[in-house]
Amino acid sequence: MNDSTEDPGAPAPGSRRPGGRTARTRAAVRDAVLTGLAEQGYPSLTVEYVAEHSGVHKTTLYRRWGGVEGMVADALALAGEDAWAPPDTGRLSDDLRALAREVVEGFGDPARAAAPTAFVGAAFQSPRAADALHSFYAERFRRCEEVVARAVDRGEAPASTDAGAVVRAVSAPLFLRLFVTREPVDGELADQAADAALAAVEAGVFSRRAPAPPDRPSEAVPAAD
């Protein structure tokens, strides 16, 4: 069974914030998906597993989510509806360090990292999971841009600073170690990543450049008599 069994007029999972029983069902499915991803990873996650651990009948799971891909995508969508806000220490340097340390704390502990790591793995195997992961982090980075906006207001960063590029630069070296080179991360590395991003901000590396003017046609040179 696939998504074609769903009511074509029904909203996509995660596209609204239902209440009451619907919200409880969605949360139960999300929790079961997180547990399954942490315990056995995306390839082994099944509708049967989610049904058993959520208490939601398989028929309902297929009808509302279409299958495992839909449930994983909706679990990420639900995670993105939280009230998380970036740090506000009053200094850009400390805000960037706090952001970097959140990455280390979230992925450095194997127990806490199991589900989010599985989400990343699922994104390489499922287009819907990849789209959901992209949307989740796009929203997270969008919220983090407030850190740079406040710094600009305080005069700590040039007004032309690309906030999105800055907050991505903070986590990029940490994610490289976590998911590419498979090296450990710690607080010292978090501070180093934040300090490198800050130095780049102060050097104007992340300043948006004004677009270059279009090339003007060269004027013809009069021929000599």
Side-chain angles (χ1 to χ4, degrees), residues 5 31-33 56 58 73 80 108 111 117 137 141 143-144 160 163 186 202 210 216 218:
T5 62
D31 292 344
V33 167
V56 180
K58 286 196 302 181
T117 299
Y137 276 107
F141 287 132
R143 298 186 201 182
C144 290
S160 59
D186 55 23
E202 294 173 341
R216 299 180 60 182
S218 58

Side-chain angles (χ1 to χ4, degrees), residues 129-153:
D131 288 343
L133 188 69
H134 171 80
S135 296
F136 174 82
Y137 276 107
E139 172 61 17
R140 274 293 190 268
F141 287 132
R142 185 195 64 77
R143 298 186 201 182
C144 290
E145 289 179 14
E146 180 61 26
V147 164
V148 180
R150 291 194 297 257
V152 170
D153 291 340

Side-chain angles (χ1 to χ4, degrees), residues 10-145:
S15 62
R16 64 179 181 179
R17 297 171 183 256
R21 182 178 177 183
T22 301
R24 291 193 297 272
T25 297
R26 190 182 179 202
V29 170
R30 182 271 316 275
D31 292 344
V33 167
L34 291 176
T35 301
L37 288 174
E39 288 183 352
Q40 54 198 38
Y42 178 77
S44 300
L45 184 63
T46 63
V47 173
E48 288 75 14
Y49 177 98
V50 177
E52 178 182 352
H53 288 76
S54 67
V56 180
H57 197 277
K58 286 196 302 181
T59 302
T60 301
L61 296 177
Y62 277 118
R63 184 178 69 248
R64 291 191 53 194
W65 285 275
V68 170
E69 272 195 311
M71 289 185 285
V72 170
D74 191 43
L76 269 168
L78 189 56
E81 294 174 7
D82 64 5
W84 180 86
D88 185 5
T89 66
R91 295 180 58 193
L92 179 59
S93 58
D94 293 338
D95 284 346
L96 296 181
R97 284 192 171 200
L99 286 174
R101 283 180 175 266
E102 282 197 28
V103 174
V104 170
E105 291 166 6
F107 287 95
D109 174 38
R112 292 183 60 186
T117 299
F119 274 128
V120 174
F124 284 93
Q125 303 169 70
S126 160
R128 289 188 66 181
D131 288 343
L133 188 69
H134 171 80
S135 296
F136 174 82
Y137 276 107
E139 172 61 17
R140 274 293 190 268
F141 287 132
R142 185 195 64 77
R143 298 186 201 182
C144 290
E145 289 179 14

